[in-house]
Amino acid sequence: MIKKVHHVAIAVKNMDEALKLYEDIFGIKPSKIETVPQQGVKAALLPMSEGGEIELLEPIDQESGVAKFIESRGEGIHHICLEVENVDQELCMLADKGVQLIDKQGRTGLAGKIGFLHPKSTKGVLIELVQKDIKEKG
Ligand code: ZN
């Protein structure tokens, strides 16, 4: 079951400039900034006051998916993330329905346990599923 839109991710060339922009125009400060070497990105989470987040992604490795995304499409919306109760269960159900998956099983991401669907199966939109960390619940 899909619970809600957890975050929208935006690919940016320069994290510091993007963070300054969001602070200047909306007064939003990041709750978390982390380098994720496996994905070749630096990521920042910008929380909204009543839930939902914007995730900023800056490539730190020119071979990363985000670097290639910016190269071909420019800066902009990279993926949307939907919160689910159980990532592994959801991925398994989607695979049964013939949906192409990037991750066949959940893995650890910035926002919790995550898994990506292939945009070929979702009208060109990269969709991430997340199951929030148990410690963040309640
Ligand atoms: Zn994300």
Side-chain angles (χ1 to χ4, degrees):
M1 187 191 46
I2 305 298
K3 296 166 98 177
K4 63 177 185 185
V5 175
H6 184 274
H7 64 263
V8 173
I10 298 170
V12 300
K13 289 179 183 167
N14 183 309
M15 179 65 79
D16 293 335
E17 276 180 29
L19 287 172
K20 187 178 182 312
L21 176 74
Y22 279 87
E23 185 164 359
D24 285 350
I25 64 175
F26 295 127
I28 307 173
K29 287 184 179 164
S31 59
K32 204 184 223 182
I33 302 177
E34 221 169 88
T35 301
V36 191
Q38 317 89 277
Q39 289 176 50
V41 296
K42 187 171 168 187
L45 293 178
L46 304 176
M48 311 289 119
S49 67
E50 295 196 13
E53 292 176 336
I54 289 174
E55 179 179 74
L56 300 174
L57 298 171
E58 179 201 61
I60 52 168
D61 170 358
Q62 286 322 301
E63 292 305 305
S64 67
V66 175
K68 287 176 184 157
F69 176 91
I70 291 176
E71 212 177 279
S72 65
R73 299 209 209 178
E75 291 180 299
I77 293 181
H78 181 263
H79 66 266
I80 63 166
C81 179
L82 306 175
E83 188 179 333
V84 298
E85 195 67 49
N86 184 316
V87 165
D88 288 327
Q89 207 177 322
E90 215 60 53
L91 290 172
C92 192
M93 273 165 45
L94 290 165
D96 283 348
K97 288 178 184 171
V99 176
Q100 281 190 61
L101 303 173
I102 292 172
D103 299 302
K104 293 191 170 46
Q105 273 198 330
R107 59 185 161 92
T108 305
L110 196 62
K113 192 173 183 183
I114 62 154
F116 280 95
L117 281 56
H118 200 290
K120 273 184 193 161
S121 284
T122 50
K123 302 279 182 201
V125 178
L126 179 59
I127 298 177
E128 176 183 19
L129 301 180
V130 67
Q131 171 184 342
K132 287 217 287 193
D133 291 336
I134 291 155
K135 61 178 190 292
E136 283 180 24
K137 273 187 188 162

